[in-house]
Amino acid sequence: QVHLQESGPGLVKPSGTLSLTCAVSGASISGTNWWSWVRQSPGKGLEWIGEIYHSGITNYNPSLKSRVAMSVDKSRNQFSLNLTSVTAADTAVYFCARAKGWPQRDFDYWGQGALVTVSS
Amino acid sequence: QSALTQPASVSGSPGQSITISCTGTTNDVGGYNYVAWYQKHPDKAPKLILYGVSNRPAGVSIRFSGSKSGNTASLTISGLQADDEADYYCASYTSASTLVFGGGTKLTVL
């Protein structure tokens, strides 16, 4: 069974950098899947942040592109998200997810989500 | 990219059918058969219930069905059950090779 687990600080100061890691088990991150980050701000809908392939190829949401960077660590079977210059608007539950196909990106496995609060 | 348009809320009684719409443009919903639907219960991860407009993943009830006409995709849930009460999100591939979600629809089972 495929399992994804987010980890990282739950509190980030304004103007700082949000960093999260998604550990994958039950599947190889070096396979044919793409790996995404999705967030949900309090009381709002889902927002796709971007994705990464094991080769390092990335695609980002244009609205976040200038602040987002994703990376993959094949030796640890995990991938990461960095979001810079955060504000209160970046407070959200962040999910990592596996896309079972590309380019359609149907997410068949998700992490349980990690709440990140931006506050001083 | 703008979020796809969904009704904020829908409701129905147990046993009834409801339909949730998801409206986009020719650059997303209308241009590709790459529309997925997710069910999300509070404090839970989203669950994929339809992909490729109308395909159900293994284990998803046949009560969930999907269709598309022009720039609008639709999710129909038949034989409503209490556990269907959740938020539902559509998602579509876009011509910019990105993914866009709908704003979400809260389903209330009366």
Side-chain angles (χ1 to χ4, degrees):
Chain A
Q1 182 73 332
V2 179
H3 184 71
L4 286 74
Q5 178 72 55
E6 305 90 349
S7 62
L11 182 64
V12 181
K13 292 188 184 323
S15 78
T17 297
L18 180 158
S19 297
L20 291 172
T21 294
C22 181
V24 180
S25 58
S28 173
I29 205 165
S30 298
T32 58
N33 303 100
W34 286 70
W35 305 89
S36 274
W37 289 95
V38 175
R39 71 180 182 180
Q40 182 175 33
S41 300
K44 297 192 176 181
L46 300 173
E47 180 180 30
W48 180 72
I49 300 170
E51 65 186 354
I52 189 165
Y53 195 59
H54 63 78
S55 62
I57 299 173
T58 56
N59 292 302
Y60 300 139
N61 184 324
S63 68
L64 297 169
K65 189 173 183 178
S66 63
R67 298 193 293 128
V68 172
M70 295 182 185
S71 60
V72 65
D73 185 337
K74 288 183 280 189
S75 66
R76 295 186 177 184
N77 214 44
Q78 63 186 33
F79 62 105
S80 298
L81 166 70
N82 274 5
L83 182 66
T84 62
S85 305
V86 297
T87 69
D90 295 307
T91 293
V93 176
Y94 287 77
F95 296 96
C96 57
R98 185 184 85 163
K100 73 183 199 70
W102 198 92
Q104 59 270 43
R105 303 171 180 96
D106 305 319
F107 301 125
D108 56 354
Y109 289 98
W110 295 73
Q112 87 281 5
L115 173 62
V116 179
T117 301
V118 179
S119 175
S120 55
Chain B
Q1 57 190 28
S2 300
L4 306 175
T5 301
Q6 297 181 233
S9 63
V10 297
S11 63
S13 299
Q16 288 186 332
S17 295
I18 62 94
T19 296
I20 299 172
S21 61
C22 169
T23 301
T25 69
T26 54
N27 291 323
D28 37 65
V29 175
Y32 312 92
N33 287 323
Y34 291 155
V35 177
W37 288 89
Y38 297 88
Q39 177 191 62
K40 190 180 184 308
H41 287 106
D43 299 322
K44 298 286 189 182
K47 175 187 176 183
L48 180 67
I49 55 173
L50 291 173
Y51 65 95
V53 176
S54 60
N55 299 294
R56 280 184 304 275
V60 172
S61 173
I62 61 172
R63 298 185 299 106
F64 294 91
S65 61
S67 63
K68 192 186 84 168
S69 178
N71 296 337
T72 299
S74 297
L75 164 69
T76 297
I77 309 174
S78 59
L80 270 181
Q81 300 177 358
D83 189 52
D84 296 333
E85 186 162 294
D87 294 328
Y88 292 84
Y89 293 89
C90 59
S92 174
Y93 173 79
T94 81
S95 58
S97 195
T98 60
L99 183 77
V100 62
F101 282 97
T105 298
K106 181 177 180 59
L107 169 61
T108 300
V109 180
L110 303 171

